[in-house]
Amino acid sequence: MDKVVFHRKSRIFSSLLVLSALAVLIVASGLAGCRNQPDSSSPVLLRIDDRVMRLDEFNRRFAATLPLDHTLAQNEKDELRRSFLRQVIDRELALAEARRRGIHVDEAEVEASLAEMRRDYPDGNFDRMLSRRNLSLERIREDLTERLMIDKVLEQEVHRKIKVGAEEIADYYATHRDEFVRPLRVRARQILVDNEEQGEEIVARLRNGASFVEMAQRFSLSPDGDQGGDLGFFPRGEMPSRFDEVVFDLAPGELSPLVSSEYGYHIFRVEEVRPAQNLSLEQAEEEIRARLRRQKEAAARRAWLLDLGARSELEVNWPLL
């Protein structure tokens, strides 16, 4: 059975399964890109230097990124197609530069990434998912190799050059103080099952001293089960209201009764409560540094890709979309 995923409100709740790590790989970097294709009656959609991608190949790869049994409106799908093509272009430009600079990825790095991906699909679900999406391990390894090449060239040419100074951090804090007012937050764990009888049995075992972390790892249908059901810290309003009603009334270490929702049956335990506070500059420094670094990296990547594009012969037949 596929694990159930629920988003926090800030990311829009949905009863649909979220794209897995493998699907994210396909979207972000698992694209064949503009490799030379055999003759085809399908028109050329994209040409970068001497490499092309034809429309039928693009459509096939775009379809592989969509959730199975999706119900998207046509305008939503059209926007996703345009965004996907931009990702194809960016990825191909970066990959070509990685090859030009002789970036190497060894087999051990690829296997480590593959093992990490497999952890998202326990109990044989990884192989079943490959079969459902008509993907091969050979193709996944190839895509992982190319993604790692891109990661390395980005680190070498863009990310390692980014610096964030103390003055920038202080200036950001001074002009964004309201962002560092923290409401009361709790850190909780959950176990999610799909039937009430099993849920009540687990509650009884927990009250008799069973480890919550082990129970979550063994029985929870939610992906956070692999981390012992850890939901991290969250304030009121970020989780479904049904969760808030229960979790914010629990003391640290206290176990909830079985809680039903549209996702199934939940058991919660609060690990820690953090009171509301205003973060000082010292307390907020690392968060600000990471935020500014992400902003600078995004801007630098975009400038780098634009420069690569300007130095390439790039043609896109946009009307085909």
Side-chain angles (χ1 to χ4, degrees):
M1 176 179 179
D2 289 335
K3 287 193 170 187
V4 176
V5 179
F6 63 89
H7 296 280
R8 296 180 176 191
K9 276 187 177 178
S10 58
R11 296 181 185 175
I12 305 176
F13 275 84
S14 171
S15 59
L16 293 175
L17 293 181
V18 178
L19 287 178
S20 65
L22 177 61
V24 171
L25 171 68
I26 295 169
V27 173
S29 61
L31 316 175
C34 315
R35 297 177 188 140
N36 289 318
Q37 301 286 331
D39 289 341
S40 168
S41 59
S42 179
V44 171
L45 173 64
L46 173 63
R47 185 186 305 276
I48 300 179
D49 296 329
D50 61 347
R51 303 174 308 281
V52 301
M53 175 175 278
R54 296 183 180 275
L55 181 62
D56 56 357
E57 174 70 4
F58 173 83
N59 286 338
R60 185 176 71 81
R61 296 193 179 281
F62 173 68
T65 70
L66 298 175
L68 298 173
D69 305 319
H70 67 86
T71 54
L72 294 174
Q74 188 59 47
N75 64 320
E76 294 175 316
K77 187 180 288 189
D78 290 344
E79 180 56 34
L80 284 175
R81 279 164 59 84
R82 288 189 290 270
S83 176
F84 185 72
L85 180 54
R86 293 185 186 98
Q87 291 179 54
V88 173
I89 294 168
D90 288 349
R91 180 180 182 277
E92 180 63 22
L93 290 170
L95 185 58
E97 183 67 6
R99 288 174 172 147
R100 188 180 75 81
R101 293 184 175 275
I103 299 294
H104 173 72
V105 173
D106 61 41
E107 186 176 346
E109 292 175 283
V110 176
E111 291 306 314
S113 291
L114 183 59
E116 184 178 342
M117 185 184 297
R118 280 184 178 277
R119 283 196 290 271
D120 290 333
Y121 296 89
D123 304 324
N125 285 329
F126 180 77
D127 292 330
R128 284 193 288 272
M129 198 269 290
L130 290 185
S131 177
R132 290 173 71 198
R133 290 189 172 274
N134 196 28
L135 294 167
S136 67
L137 266 180
E138 179 184 3
R139 176 56 195 278
I140 294 304
R141 285 192 176 96
E142 181 181 339
D143 288 343
L144 282 169
T145 300
E146 295 181 349
R147 186 191 69 178
L148 291 168
M149 289 173 64
I150 291 171
D151 288 347
K152 286 187 175 186
V153 76
L154 279 169
E155 176 61 25
Q156 176 179 302
E157 297 299 312
V158 180
H159 296 166
R160 70 170 54 171
K161 300 176 182 179
I162 301 298
K163 306 294 181 187
V164 178
E167 186 175 342
E168 294 176 276
I169 294 172
D171 287 345
Y172 188 93
Y173 179 80
T175 55
H176 298 81
R177 285 181 180 272
D178 58 324
E179 295 179 11
F180 303 103
V181 177
R182 295 290 188 263
L184 182 145
R185 294 180 296 160
V186 300
R187 179 186 171 202
R189 295 182 186 271
Q190 73 155 341
I191 297 171
L192 171 65
V193 296
D194 60 5
N195 69 86
E196 185 174 9
E197 183 179 358
Q198 183 187 24
E200 293 291 2
E201 180 183 340
I202 293 172
V203 169
R205 293 174 68 175
L206 291 169
R207 296 196 187 285
N208 285 327
S211 165
F212 195 102
V213 171
E214 290 180 7
M215 291 291 100
Q217 290 171 335
R218 288 182 60 188
F219 299 112
S220 185
L221 298 176
S222 186
D224 49 72
D226 294 338
Q227 288 77 49
D230 194 352
L231 296 170
F233 283 94
F234 54 91
R236 288 184 184 273
E238 193 169 286
M239 290 291 189
S241 59
R242 184 75 180 99
F243 295 9
D244 284 356
E245 292 168 6
V246 175
V247 169
F248 283 89
D249 283 341
L250 297 175
E254 188 177 357
L255 192 70
S256 77
L258 197 63
V259 179
S260 64
S261 80
E262 62 182 295
Y263 306 104
Y265 294 86
H266 309 257
I267 307 159
F268 296 102
R269 189 182 73 188
V270 169
E271 300 291 299
E272 184 181 348
V273 177
R274 286 186 179 173
Q277 62 175 324
N278 293 331
L279 298 185
S280 66
L281 173 59
E282 183 178 4
Q283 290 171 317
E285 182 176 357
E286 287 309 309
E287 179 181 337
I288 297 172
R289 187 188 307 279
R291 187 177 302 182
L292 292 177
R293 183 173 183 84
R294 286 194 300 271
Q295 292 174 0
K296 287 188 172 188
E297 285 179 348
R301 281 196 303 271
R302 177 49 46 196
W304 182 69
L305 287 165
L306 287 172
D307 180 62
L308 292 180
R311 292 189 278 114
S312 302
E313 293 185 13
L314 173 61
E315 298 177 17
V316 182
N317 192 344
W318 290 104
L320 287 178
L321 293 183

